[in-house]
Every structure is written in structure tokens, then in C-alpha cells.
Amino acid sequence: MFKSYYWLVLLLALMLAGLQYRLWVGDGSLAQVAELEDQIATQREENLRLLERNRQLQAEVMELKEGMETVEERARYELGMIKEGETLYELPE
């Protein structure tokens, strides 16, 4: 009678040890879950940054589609172009 309880207790102890191993070290452990949560938080921050960048680019595209002011501004500052009849004076710094 005592021997059957011994095996039952031993079996339950082994099962408990196996579950504890999986909880702390195995696949899906608490450490792995914490690491995945950190990765999710980092990815969310990156997504927000990219979403803001997309909004800015979308606004710039809309400006370029709707008006010539932005095109003219870029032509002046990036390409050094001037309108017909204007005179460009460059001052040394």
C-alpha cells in the first residue's frame, strides 16, 4: 500500500518539475513572453514613427498635386531657378 503512494507522489513530483521547467525555461516561458512583449513595444514605437512620416509625405504629395507654390519653392531653393524677369543676387556669407 505504501509503495503505490510512493510511486504516485514520485509521478506527481516529476510532473510538477516538468511544468516548472516549461514555465521558467522551455518554449513559451515567462522570459520568452517578456522578450516578445518588449519586441512588440519596440515595433509599435517604430510603427508610430513611420505613420507620422507617412502623414508628412502624404501632405507633401497633396501640396504638390494641388498647388504650384511647393513646386516653385523647390525649384528656387533646390535647383537655384528664378522666374523670368527676376534678378538673382547672391551675397557671400
Side-chain angles (χ1 to χ4, degrees):
M1 173 108 178
F2 178 69
K3 209 170 194 180
S4 65
Y5 285 126
Y6 172 75
W7 288 111
L8 179 62
V9 169
L10 182 62
L11 178 65
L12 290 174
L14 287 174
M15 288 175 59
L16 180 62
L19 290 173
Q20 287 295 315
Y21 174 80
R22 182 162 182 189
L23 177 67
W24 297 105
V25 181
D27 191 33
S29 66
L30 294 177
Q32 186 181 28
V33 169
E35 181 182 336
L36 290 173
E37 286 175 351
D38 287 343
Q39 288 177 1
I40 289 171
T42 303
Q43 188 63 52
R44 283 189 178 145
E45 291 172 6
E46 178 72 8
N47 289 350
L48 289 174
R49 186 185 68 76
L50 291 174
L51 184 63
E52 180 58 32
R53 181 170 176 256
N54 285 347
R55 284 187 194 136
Q56 290 172 355
L57 290 173
Q58 188 176 21
E60 189 174 334
V61 166
M62 292 303 291
E63 272 185 43
L64 289 170
K65 284 182 178 180
E66 291 178 1
M68 291 303 291
E69 294 86 24
T70 306
V71 174
E72 182 179 331
E73 180 181 340
R74 282 196 169 197
R76 287 176 178 274
Y77 292 107
E78 292 179 10
L79 303 175
M81 299 177 87
I82 59 172
K83 285 183 179 180
E84 194 173 317
E86 288 183 336
T87 305
L88 176 66
Y89 296 99
E90 289 189 48
L91 304 174
E93 291 182 29

